[in-house]
Amino acid sequence: MAFTAETLAADDRFLAAILHCADQMLAIYRESPRIASIFAAQQRWLMAHAGFALHYGHPDHEKSGLYSGRFIDFAVKNDIASRNTAAAFMQEMLAYRFLRPAPGPDKRTRYLEPTEIAEQHFTRWLVTHMMILDSLDGGERADKIAADPTATMAALQPRIAKAIIGSQAVPSPGPTFNLFNWANSGGLVMDYLISRLPEFPRTAERVAIGPLSLRELREQFMISNTHLKRLLTQAAAMESVGWTEPSRKGEFWLSHRFILEYWNYQAAKFAIVDAAAEAVLGPAVLIEPQARRVV
């Protein structure tokens, strides 16, 4: 029986999984900032999932195949992006060589496919999530993917994409999360802030994460000073982040509400990934659900 979002969100020990996931996303960014930029904002992340799902075979479509017109229509229909934004994203992926022309059933249509580097990074995203799920219950999801990554990626990803795009809890878990995750590089800044959490007492209104260097954030995530300050100022106005002393001095803190939004988002996302894994790979653990552990 797959984990549910409610089960994960209710367990205090899920914090370790959240912190590990944030660390892994930051590691991907440091290794390849260009490919990781796809994960740095919610809209780009959803468009990437949509593109892969159409390529592999979206569950709601009879035939697989990715081409610009189909992708743009899908993005608009599912309220992911405007036609112009979706078209620009496709051109950017081609320019960065994350997409390339591919043969297709209709010679009048220019079909596209992900390049090896794009598939490798998306597979790494998937395996990272499976490894974290395995750490919660002792399952072997990641090993099963490693045995045949191409086939399992093609089977799993469209299911995950459909559920994520159709979910309310994942694309829009709360106002502060949305503020960060819909801004350019905002998702990376948020992952960095969350990764520094020492703990998350449920009764605490705020959790301090130590001093925050805006210069370090700018240099690490290639974000402008104006953009970063605007992002943090807006979050501070929402009473979601702040400093313990005036003029951005002292320790930086995150509000209980902000942390909980991120927590619930991760719980919803991991539940979707686990449900897809169970459907494709079979049950992770052959024991009663109440015996499953979270460590």
Side-chain angles (χ1 to χ4, degrees), residues 16 88 94 104:
L94 282 165

Side-chain angles (χ1 to χ4, degrees), residues 15 19 194-200 207-209:
L15 177 64
L19 298 181
I194 294 294
S195 74
R196 291 183 52 180
L197 278 173
E199 59 181 348
F200 177 40
V207 179
I209 63 172

Side-chain angles (χ1 to χ4, degrees), residues 66-86:
L66 174 64
Y67 51 89
S68 291
R70 190 182 197 196
F71 173 79
I72 294 168
D73 289 343
F74 184 89
V76 172
K77 180 181 178 181
N78 289 276
D79 296 323
I80 299 173
S82 68
R83 300 190 70 85
N84 289 342
T85 299

Side-chain angles (χ1 to χ4, degrees), residues 62-278:
E62 293 183 1
K63 299 179 180 179
S64 61
L66 174 64
Y67 51 89
S68 291
R70 190 182 197 196
F71 173 79
I72 294 168
D73 289 343
F74 184 89
V76 172
K77 180 181 178 181
N78 289 276
D79 296 323
I80 299 173
S82 68
R83 300 190 70 85
N84 289 342
T85 299
F89 181 79
M90 293 293 278
Q91 291 303 313
E92 181 183 353
M93 296 302 100
L94 282 165
Y96 288 165
R97 297 183 180 179
F98 299 148
L99 286 177
R100 66 188 172 201
D106 186 350
K107 294 184 178 180
R108 297 169 297 178
T109 301
R110 187 194 186 199
Y111 285 85
L112 303 168
E113 66 180 8
T115 59
E116 286 80 5
I117 189 170
E119 286 193 324
Q120 288 169 5
H121 277 80
F122 236 81
T123 301
R124 180 176 175 182
W125 178 92
L126 183 62
V127 170
T128 294
H129 284 70
M130 295 303 178
M131 290 177 65
I132 291 172
L133 286 166
D134 289 342
S135 74
L136 302 181
D137 61 11
E140 299 180 347
R141 305 168 185 81
D143 288 342
K144 291 178 181 178
I145 294 176
D148 192 352
T150 301
T152 49
M153 176 73 168
L156 282 166
Q157 194 278 332
R159 289 176 175 269
I160 294 171
K162 179 183 178 181
I164 285 176
I165 292 169
S167 167
Q168 288 298 318
V170 176
S172 183
T176 310
F177 184 98
N178 295 347
L179 170 67
F180 279 93
N181 221 31
W182 285 91
N184 289 334
S185 299
L188 292 169
V189 172
M190 178 166 57
D191 283 337
Y192 174 78
L193 296 177
I194 294 294
S195 74
R196 291 183 52 180
L197 278 173
E199 59 181 348
F200 177 40
R202 294 277 186 165
T203 57
E205 293 185 7
R206 300 174 177 177
V207 179
I209 63 172
L212 185 69
S213 169
L214 298 190
R215 178 181 177 181
E216 180 182 340
L217 282 175
R218 293 196 305 268
E219 293 177 350
Q220 184 171 178
F221 302 122
M222 294 182 290
I223 184 173
S224 73
N225 187 51
T226 300
H227 180 48
L228 178 60
K229 285 186 176 180
R230 183 186 302 117
L231 190 60
L232 294 178
T233 297
Q234 288 179 292
M238 299 166 69
E239 299 183 347
S240 299
V241 304
W243 281 264
T244 55
E245 298 178 21
S247 302
R248 298 192 173 97
K249 301 295 183 180
E251 292 192 317
F252 193 78
W253 55 262
L254 309 179
S255 73
H256 175 274
R257 184 183 68 252
F258 180 24
I259 298 170
L260 205 58
E261 286 178 16
Y262 192 95
W263 185 296
N264 290 335
Y265 156 80
Q266 292 288 0
K269 183 185 63 171
F270 272 96
I272 285 173
V273 172
D274 197 20
E278 185 173 83

